[in-house]
Amino acid sequence: MAASDYAITTYSYVVTHTAEQCMSALAEWGFNAFELVMYPGHAWPADMDRGARQQLKTSLSERSLTLRSLNQPNIDLNIAAATREMRDYSLSLLRKTVELAGDLCVPDVVIGPGKLNPLVPIPREQAVEHLYRALDVLVPLANKVGTRILVENMPFAFVPDAESLMMTLEAYGSDEVGVLYDVANGAFIREDIREALRRCRSRLKMIHLSDTGLSVYKHDPVGCGTIDFNAVMEDLGSIGWTERPVLEMVGLTSDPAAEFFDSTRKLDVAGGAGRFTQ
């Protein structure tokens, strides 16, 4: 399978490269679709005026490169925080990310559902209300600018597994909110990946692939953890998944592109060859 049958996250490059530098380096290896991670100095909405946004669109078009999604990492953000100020701050940054996605004609924006203080958590029902209030703002904005909101399963979120995430989104009542299922995140909490994918299928819009162990949370290259990717490919086949996954590997060596490329070879051997056609 050609490397371009996978999309690549820019997470491993956020400190060392600008978005354009990163995608140019990855394009040399045959990758042509990307998930752009929001990070100051790499790609940050407040740092990109109208001219910079148009320049990036033009550069991508000239090289036949596409942006699959924008991802606002949840390291500093929390839309389910106990404090209103943190929720407002997080939502303001997510709004700017959604607006950037509209300007760049990016199909999806990835968000986290929010996280709780592990020592003194607010009631789960309250966290759900905070998430819904954020979606009440983000979903109409996404519709207005021509993008879509995807909520990701995360081990540290207040809804970490597929069942609780889907139940929460179904209760929200909008079919316009999609799900991004991260296989490493599911594996780390010892979730049955096949059952999780089936549970998410009605809202599933994107897949993240990386490897991890069970004792230390990682997003490693394929083969560096404990995930059985032969089984993962069978699981994806069981739900008829044919869209290219996003390889979200973080904290790689000094040569991330080579690690990404090697991972695509291993996924090919695991049964990915010819599976992803869209």
Side-chain angles (χ1 to χ4, degrees), residues 19-250:
E20 288 193 67
Q21 290 170 343
C22 161
M23 290 186 285
S24 293
L26 288 165
E28 296 299 321
W29 288 80
F31 298 111
N32 62 2
F34 306 96
E35 177 177 85
L36 188 57
V37 174
M38 300 292 97
Y39 199 90
H42 178 72
W44 194 245
D47 296 337
M48 301 176 68
D49 60 18
R50 185 180 300 275
R53 297 177 187 206
Q54 184 57 51
Q55 178 182 340
L56 179 57
K57 281 185 64 177
T58 300
S59 176
L60 291 169
S61 177
E62 289 175 346
R63 302 196 63 175
S64 298
L65 305 179
T66 60
L67 290 176
R68 176 66 186 82
S69 52
L70 300 187
N71 192 333
Q72 179 66 268
N74 289 267
I75 299 170
D76 301 322
L77 306 185
N78 187 6
I79 56 176
T83 57
R84 177 181 56 81
E85 291 86 351
M86 177 52 71
R87 296 195 303 272
D88 290 347
Y89 170 73
S90 299
L91 186 56
S92 70
L93 292 182
L94 289 173
R95 284 177 55 93
K96 292 174 183 176
T97 300
V98 171
E99 291 166 351
L100 177 62
D103 289 342
L104 298 178
C105 300
V106 180
D108 294 304
V109 173
V110 179
I111 71 170
K115 44 195 180 284
L116 306 182
N117 184 318
L119 296 178
V120 188
I122 62 174
R124 185 183 182 281
E125 295 76 14
Q126 196 173 1
V128 170
E129 291 175 1
H130 294 331
L131 170 61
Y132 288 172
R133 279 194 286 270
L135 292 177
D136 285 345
V137 173
L138 296 174
V139 172
L141 178 61
N143 286 337
K144 178 181 177 181
V145 303
T147 187
R148 178 174 54 186
I149 301 298
L150 305 186
V151 185
E152 182 177 357
N153 64 307
M154 298 175 171
F156 45 82
F158 76 89
V159 281
D161 59 290
E163 179 63 28
S164 62
L165 177 59
M166 283 295 292
M167 286 182 63
T168 301
L169 294 180
E170 287 166 351
Y172 179 63
S174 172
D175 293 334
E176 296 172 309
V177 182
V179 166
L180 184 161
Y181 189 79
D182 187 299
V183 169
N185 289 350
F188 184 71
I189 64 171
R190 295 168 172 79
E191 186 165 53
D192 184 309
I193 301 301
R194 179 168 297 194
E195 290 305 312
L197 290 171
R198 288 177 176 172
R199 181 66 178 93
C200 293
R201 189 64 182 102
S202 62
R203 290 179 183 266
L204 191 63
K205 307 302 180 185
M206 191 184 305
I207 299 289
H208 272 179
L209 293 181
S210 62
D211 212 342
T212 187
L214 297 178
S215 58
V216 179
Y217 178 51
K218 293 281 190 176
H219 273 47
D220 278 339
V222 173
C224 294
T226 59
I227 295 178
D228 181 353
F229 282 95
N230 291 285
V232 169
M233 291 302 164
E234 292 179 2
D235 295 341
L236 292 174
S238 74
I239 63 168
W241 186 262
T242 58
E243 295 188 32
R244 62 170 79 178
V246 177
L247 303 190
E248 189 192 35
M249 298 162 190
V250 185

